[in-house]
Amino acid sequence: MNGPLPNKNYLGRLAIVLHAHLPFVRKNEKNSLEEDWLFQAILECYIPLLQVMESSKKQDTSNTKLTLSLSPTLLSLLQNKQIQKKYSSWIKTRIEFLNDLSKKEQAASEFLLRNIKNNYLYWEKCSGDLVERFKNLNLTGNLDILTCAATHGYLPILRENPETVLGQINTAIRSHKVIFGTRPLGIWLPECAYYEKLDEILLNCGIRYAVLDGHGILNGSPRPRYGVYAPICSKKGIAFFGRDSESTLPVWSSREGYPGNSVYREFHKDLGWELSSTELQKKGIPTSRPLGLKFHRITNNNCSLGKKEFYVEDEAIKKVEEHADNYLLSRSKQLKKLSLSASFEPLLIAPFDAELFGHWWYEGPRFIENILKRSTKYFIKLTNLREILLQNPNLQICDPSPSSWGQGGFHNYWLNDKNAWIVPEITKAGSVFVELSSNKFNDDFSIRLLKQAARELLLSESSDWSFILKAGTTTELAKERIDRHLFRFWKLIEMLENKSFIDYKFLKNIEEEDNIFPNIRIQDWQL
């Protein structure tokens, strides 16, 4: 590095922000895809990230800093004792699959078996309580844990009934407080989506800062003096941090970024697609599906899955170290340029889906590990959002622009010809619920019905289903989930309005199955 450093021993600050979220898993459903998504994320992402943070913290507490959003649905799943028990069985089944491979395949998958066993030992050591490990890192200040909307509802399409936005946020805050013992001050807005006057709702709920896409900051009013390189403060008093695209593109893009390198593990070639239905059923897997067992490398993007070469772990480890150095060198050059051209200390905000690191990009946690270890070498100070605001910076007053982190900053990924039909359905349900919740129901049974109706409404509002419908992947699953929760919602409303037709068995079954948010309050939907 050439040239003078700023008044401190670093060029500027980098805040990596990870957003961890998965949709709710039904309690009584066996072998669900959502359950597989969760277990693969635990194995490939959440445990490796915890290991990286805890190991790095022992070596350098001051520079081991990340911001992490844990959605309320994900937290409810991680704390579920039944799911914790099922995860142990799920892992053991995967180990059996790997042990059954041919000698050639066993040699190629040796790294995977070793890593799975290592992660399972970690799981056993903490008795499956990953939330407690996250909590400890939050208490030491190494992690700044944010909340999210309760079921990851896309807030701009809920705005017609502001009370439904309130329900999403208040329920999330209440759940977070029960789990972590303190009210969250920061929030990850689902899909970084913002609309006018959302800051007022956030303020009234006790939220003080959030992350936005760069479009939300750069198109703000007035245009921010320092662009996305410093947080802004809305007129209502909420601080907003803007995504820096230059800091995120090399990591999230499989085409233009690091994850697409030929030596990294191939995501799409999964053992589950190659085994016969008979072989799967012997292990209790009813249909062909990804098992999370992948031991081939990308090789090259034009190579068919059948011609992918076996993964070589040492080559991938070497490459991810190179990529971490390349990333940090690029950020240091970026920060130096910003430092020389402006009289402020620049800040780079790099937000990502947490599941990118480990699940989609297998080497991702090791990349994070190298960033934590090597950042000081490049005169970069790692920080988190809470630490930045604790320094009481002088923020420019600026109202952010409506935006999301979808393409171009628009809302159209969650509102288009594939999923727009959802909006009138959840809007109608939300309007009815808001009206009924404002009535003075004093009897316990009515409140019981309303609470379960609130859960079904929240679950139907999840943006996961809109995303899946647009992506065209498991569309039948997404439609079935929306229809199921709305059906249950309307049946509960019918029972509330006509108590001569109470289906007690139905009520008990869905209370057991959709048992999320035990501390839910109807008052949280009231302005």
Side-chain angles (χ1 to χ4, degrees), residues 282-297:
K282 285 180 181 178
K283 298 288 196 298
I285 312 293
T287 58
S288 294
R289 65 173 61 193
L291 296 174
L293 302 178
K294 306 158 189 178
F295 41 92
H296 291 77
R297 54 180 174 179

Side-chain angles (χ1 to χ4, degrees), residues 36-37 40-41 43-44 90 94 97-98 101 105 108-113 115-116 263-274 289-298 305 308-313 355 358-363:
D36 273 356
W37 297 340
Q40 288 180 34
L43 172 67
E44 298 171 334
W90 186 91
R94 268 64 190 169
F97 274 118
L98 291 176
L101 295 174
E105 290 173 319
S109 63
E110 183 180 339
F111 79 95
L112 183 58
L113 183 59
N115 290 342
I116 288 177
V263 304
Y264 289 149
R265 195 178 76 161
E266 171 62 58
F267 174 81
H268 296 96
K269 188 172 175 62
D270 189 290
L271 183 65
W273 297 123
E274 300 175 6
R289 65 173 61 193
L291 296 174
L293 302 178
K294 306 158 189 178
F295 41 92
H296 291 77
R297 54 180 174 179
I298 292 172
L305 289 180
K308 298 290 184 179
E309 299 171 358
F310 283 128
Y311 184 80
V312 182
E313 186 179 31
E355 293 76 21
H359 178 58
W360 297 101
W361 181 22
Y362 184 67
E363 297 76 13

